[in-house]
Amino acid sequence: MAETVFAPWTDPQQKPLIQFKGVTKRFGDFIAIDNLSQDIYAQEFFALLGPSGCGKTTMMRMLAGFEAPTEGQILIAGQDVARVPPNKRAVNMMFQSYALFPHLTVWDNIAFGLRREGKSKAEIEPRVAEMLRLTRLERFARRKPHQISGGQRQRVALARSLAKAPKLLLLDEPLGALDAKLRQQTQFELMDIQEKTGTTFVIVTHDQEEAMTVASRVAVMDEGRIIQVATPPEIYEQPNSVYVADFIGDVNIIEGVAHPQADGYDILWVEGRQPLHAKSTRSFSNGQRCFLAMRPEKVAIGTEEPETRNKVKGRIIDIAYLGNLSTYHVEVPGGRIIKAQTANTRRLSRRTLTWEDEVWLSWTETAAVMLEE
Amino acid sequence: MKRFSAFNVVSLTLGFAFLYLPMIILVIYSFNDSKLVTVWAGFSTRWYGELLQNEAFLDAAWVTIRVAVASSTIATVLGTMAAYVLVRAGRFHGRTLFSGMIYAPLVMPEVITGLSLLLLFIGIGLDRGIVTIILAHTTFSMCYVSVVVSSRLVSFDRSLEEAALDLGCTPFAAFRLVTLPIIAPAVISGWLLAFTLSLDDLVIASFTAGPSATTLPIKIFSAVRLGVSPEINALSTIMIGIVTVGVITASLVSKRASVKQQAEEQAAVRAT
Ligand SMILES: Nc1ncnc2c1ncn2[C@@H]1O[C@H](COP(=O)(O)OP(=O)(O)OP(=O)(O)O)[C@@H](O)[C@H]1O
Ligand SMILES: [Mg+2]
């Protein structure tokens, strides 16, 4: 059975739910959001990724209605929301600081939005109970926010924003304070909710793995601009810049000079060495500076000289053992370090490579991405 | 190191004696059986009994209490609103001027406040009586309330209000359901402060009171000019009692609230 791929952004017929049109936000002289245009579609799980202070929260606050753009327009469902106050927007936000009401119990915090809708007791009670169950907070329902732990508070904030089942949910680092296991469970719960209710999620996270797991598209931001928006595999395999490649996951960046060949490019990287070879969808002129971005897991490591075109000899200077994986830091001629990662399919004692070993690194000509800057 | 050296004990005793000896003497003499204030003739509560027979004093007491309740309530509403606007409205032109102007009456000499109010009331043709005293007391106690409330609002986390708006509250509902319950201790201690200020006030009340209504402090003051009577001692003792209870309650309320708030804030810090 052919499953249709969810990719409304590739379909020009689709109308986006959210449109940022040339939005700039200034705080005094400081530019927090810099002429940003971006469409987000209904039922997307849109993840915002970026370093601290790049403007993620500001984007969310503009969507929720707490900040007005200095320039530009924000449209939700085709309507300019400049004049719509926060309480009239079908948007709920989970605050980075949680913003739980300290004078209300966990139960009342979660019920707060439902009560404001004028729902009856018979409707509110099962809904709150459901939210408590979802976030595993049943036992803490009668406590005040200052009587529970940080992770529990974060879950209350999440439950409170989910309770009203809005069309658009903004989650500002919703799972940061949870342990790995609970975080994973909650991620799946969120995806489940998303699938069942068709809610559109915009989520801020510092955890790339989380973004990769849950998101339909990931946006990488820097200094108030979106650098790249793409699906998780795309953004990992085909970053559009060194910044994105470096930000998402671990990467080796090799600087060199491109020379077009019939079957790709030769890249001169160290004087007097055999050039590296790579294929590229981007075109480079002869002698243009380029950067080769290469994921460590795509670099093979071995003691024997391989038969491939891209190979480098080096010496292991460090090994990072990550349980399921090991990352070898290999020093190659010119003093550069290249990281290679292998899966630990054998027990520790059976592995052969160790510090100071002379090894060969190799990769295929499609393993690396050629980038301009 | 000894915590209580002889020097410490002496200075502490002297300090407190200086503060409280006059009041203690007054309280003791209010239980004096003799008509002469300075001669002790045994314990008695007869002056308290006689006080209850004194119509003029009872009337004045009733006026004082009504004035205090009404003016402190109005002052609390207005003072809280002023504080809210000044803290929340962000930067607007003349904000510094406005907040300065709110505090100015605190340092204004009472005679001037009283006199200017008197001129105003005469100017607009308002007959002096209980209404004018209430208005006058509201005017000067309002700024105390707004000082107390705005110092609480400054440390109030704005995102709580935003969360309320986000969950569908109108701005007014957000204030009523979230802001007000959280700042309630400050509002209550503002009210108590205004209440005791109004109870105490002599100067402004003398300017704004009329023949139809006199407050207790005015009554006491004019009675004392004809000579101190044990009845006045009894009355003063009662007033000391009321004010003490008021002040202690106010400080307990704000202390408890600040302890609780600290606990909550510490908990919040641990979370991040
Ligand atoms: N009210 C404000 N006044 C002035 N500057 C602000 C204000 N709000 C945010 N900024 C600035 O705008 C920039 C973006 O802030 P924002 O909160 O959006 O960052 P963020 O991407 O959410 O960061 P983090 O990951 O640390 O939460 C920051 O440099 C911040 O200092
Ligand atoms: Mg943020």
Side-chain angles (χ1 to χ4, degrees):
Chain A
M1 204 174 88
E3 218 178 306
T4 50
V5 184
F6 176 73
W9 51 89
T10 55
D11 180 358
Q13 299 295 313
Q14 288 279 344
K15 285 228 162 21
L17 179 67
I18 303 167
Q19 286 171 284
F20 282 84
K21 286 188 172 172
V23 173
T24 296
K25 176 70 194 177
R26 284 193 210 96
F27 294 107
D29 292 339
F30 181 80
I31 299 174
I33 296 291
D34 189 2
N35 190 17
L36 183 144
S37 295
Q38 177 64 45
D39 291 349
I40 300 174
Y41 293 84
Q43 306 191 16
E44 262 206 85
F45 212 124
F46 194 85
L48 291 172
L49 225 58
S52 184
C54 68
K56 306 180 294 288
T57 300
T58 308
M59 250 181 98
M60 293 225 167
R61 290 176 58 80
M62 288 196 290
L63 277 175
F66 303 127
E67 308 278 2
T70 319
E71 281 161 32
Q73 264 190 321
I74 297 175
L75 281 70
I76 298 181
Q79 184 201 3
D80 186 348
V81 291
R83 307 217 153 271
V84 185
N87 50 319
K88 297 269 161 57
R89 298 190 185 189
V91 175
N92 279 149
M93 172 155 169
M94 176 188 162
F95 289 72
Q96 194 170 11
S97 63
Y98 312 158
L100 300 179
F101 305 128
H103 59 300
L104 298 180
T105 61
V106 167
W107 203 96
D108 288 323
N109 262 285
I110 298 174
F112 192 90
L114 300 170
R115 289 213 172 107
R116 300 317 300 162
E117 277 181 337
K119 286 234 163 78
S120 73
K121 225 173 155 186
E123 288 170 288
I124 293 175
E125 268 171 14
R127 182 69 184 157
V128 175
E130 191 189 336
M131 290 297 116
L132 287 169
R133 198 167 47 245
L134 187 71
T135 48
R136 296 182 177 75
L137 287 166
E138 294 104 323
R139 286 188 301 140
F140 309 103
R142 291 289 150 215
R143 297 219 197 150
K144 295 274 181 72
H146 66 97
Q147 295 165 322
I148 56 178
S149 78
Q152 288 161 354
R153 249 174 257 153
Q154 193 169 37
R155 282 181 274 156
V156 177
L158 181 62
R160 189 179 67 179
S161 63
L162 290 172
K164 281 180 81 175
K167 275 200 301 203
L168 172 60
L169 249 173
L170 310 172
L171 306 178
D172 200 343
E173 290 192 43
L175 312 175
L178 305 185
D179 62 81
K181 197 146 205 169
L182 190 54
R183 183 183 311 195
Q184 212 169 43
Q185 284 170 355
T186 316
Q187 282 167 8
F188 285 118
E189 299 281 10
L190 287 181
M191 288 157 73
D192 213 38
I193 291 173
Q194 204 269 349
E195 244 156 61
K196 276 195 200 124
T197 62
T199 308
T200 309
F201 282 74
V202 178
I203 177 173
V204 167
T205 172
H206 277 295
D207 179 353
Q208 301 162 20
E209 214 174 297
E210 183 167 298
M212 295 291 182
T213 314
V214 299
S216 61
R217 282 193 298 169
V218 177
V220 178
M221 294 184 66
D222 188 31
E223 295 186 349
R225 278 168 301 139
I226 291 184
I227 308 295
Q228 185 176 9
V229 185
T231 61
E234 265 171 26
I235 212 151
Y236 189 77
E237 305 288 353
Q238 291 156 28
N240 67 357
S241 59
V242 174
Y243 178 82
V244 173
D246 202 24
F247 195 82
I248 305 279
D250 212 357
V251 74
N252 295 302
I253 304 280
I254 299 172
E255 193 181 340
V257 177
H259 296 285
Q261 304 290 319
D263 59 345
Y265 293 89
D266 274 351
I267 295 140
L268 278 176
W269 63 298
V270 181
E271 257 335 289
R273 288 244 151 205
Q274 190 196 346
L276 302 175
H277 189 77
K279 284 192 168 25
S280 175
T281 48
R282 249 171 280 250
S283 58
F284 290 80
S285 57
N286 198 9
Q288 191 181 347
R289 210 161 69 103
C290 72
F291 296 86
L292 214 50
M294 186 164 60
R295 301 288 176 193
E297 72 273 12
K298 299 206 168 61
V299 179
I301 184 167
T303 46
E304 258 137 63
E305 185 169 350
E307 294 293 304
T308 51
R309 208 156 155 185
N310 290 318
K311 59 188 166 194
V312 187
K313 199 173 178 195
R315 192 167 51 88
I316 297 178
I317 58 161
D318 205 0
I319 304 175
Y321 177 70
L322 305 172
N324 52 344
L325 302 168
S326 285
T327 305
Y328 297 91
H329 294 239
V330 178
E331 188 176 328
V332 298
R336 198 187 297 274
I337 309 283
I338 295 181
K339 285 174 273 184
Q341 203 169 55
T342 57
N344 292 332
T345 47
R346 299 173 170 206
R347 294 290 303 276
L348 213 50
S349 54
R350 303 276 306 276
R351 258 177 279 135
T352 50
L353 298 176
T354 182
W355 280 267
E356 301 298 330
D357 277 359
E358 295 279 322
V359 288
W360 282 95
L361 299 178
S362 60
W363 58 91
T364 64
E365 54 192 26
T366 52
V369 184
M370 283 175 73
L371 300 167
E372 282 158 30
E373 29 134 6
Chain B
M1 207 183 85
K2 267 205 311 187
R3 278 182 67 195
F4 288 105
S5 66
F7 175 75
N8 284 353
V9 171
V10 169
S11 51
L12 206 66
T13 317
L14 272 180
F16 274 96
F18 195 77
L19 285 174
Y20 288 104
L21 208 55
M23 281 194 236
I24 292 171
I25 290 173
L26 183 129
V27 172
I28 291 172
Y29 273 105
S30 75
F31 294 104
N32 189 0
D33 196 33
S34 163
K35 178 101 187 144
L36 293 168
V37 178
T38 45
V39 181
W40 182 257
F43 181 85
S44 142
T45 54
R46 64 182 268 218
W47 302 115
Y48 288 88
E50 236 154 82
L51 193 63
L52 289 178
Q53 308 298 316
N54 190 328
E55 286 279 323
F57 274 147
L58 288 182
D59 277 352
W62 182 226
V63 168
T64 309
I65 287 172
R66 277 187 298 167
V67 167
V69 169
S71 71
S72 58
T73 306
I74 303 172
T76 303
V77 173
L78 294 178
T80 305
M81 274 161 45
Y84 190 79
V85 171
L86 285 175
V87 174
R88 275 288 175 275
R91 310 205 163 276
F92 59 88
H93 276 292
R95 182 186 164 189
T96 323
L97 182 69
F98 269 112
S99 43
M101 275 165 66
I102 284 268
Y103 300 141
L106 292 182
V107 291
M108 196 73 77
E110 286 189 326
V111 243
I112 295 182
T113 313
L115 186 61
S116 53
L117 282 164
L118 174 65
L119 291 178
L120 173 74
F121 293 144
I122 292 172
I124 60 174
L126 199 59
D127 277 342
R128 278 176 291 153
I130 190 161
V131 174
T132 49
I133 313 177
I134 291 174
L135 287 179
H137 280 185
T138 305
T139 311
F140 88 93
S141 55
M142 184 191 122
C143 38
Y144 288 88
V145 175
S146 83
V147 169
V148 173
V149 173
S150 63
S151 70
R152 174 66 187 90
L153 276 174
V154 166
S155 65
F156 184 87
D157 183 2
R158 183 100 208 246
S159 62
L160 293 179
E161 275 168 18
E162 290 177 342
L165 292 178
D166 190 64
L167 293 166
C169 282
T170 59
F172 179 71
F175 178 79
R176 190 169 56 86
L177 295 170
V178 173
T179 316
L180 197 55
I182 296 172
I183 65 165
V187 175
I188 291 170
S189 55
W191 187 88
L192 283 166
L193 186 63
F195 184 81
T196 38
L197 282 171
S198 165
L199 222 54
D200 280 351
D201 171 66
L202 170 66
V203 179
I204 292 175
S206 358
F207 276 101
T208 50
S212 65
T214 321
T215 65
L216 215 43
I218 299 178
K219 199 86 201 161
I220 294 173
F221 190 68
S222 51
V224 167
R225 278 192 296 186
L226 306 174
V228 182
S229 80
E231 238 176 326
I232 301 245
N233 286 349
L235 183 59
S236 310
T237 305
I238 292 173
M239 282 190 74
I240 290 175
I242 293 176
V243 171
T244 312
V245 168
V247 169
I248 290 178
T249 319
S251 64
L252 279 186
V253 164
S254 59
K255 172 110 186 265
R256 254 188 46 198
S258 77
V259 166
K260 198 174 136 206
Q261 194 190 332
Q262 245 173 20
E264 279 166 14
E265 268 160 23
Q266 270 170 7
V269 167
R270 250 182 276 126
T272 51

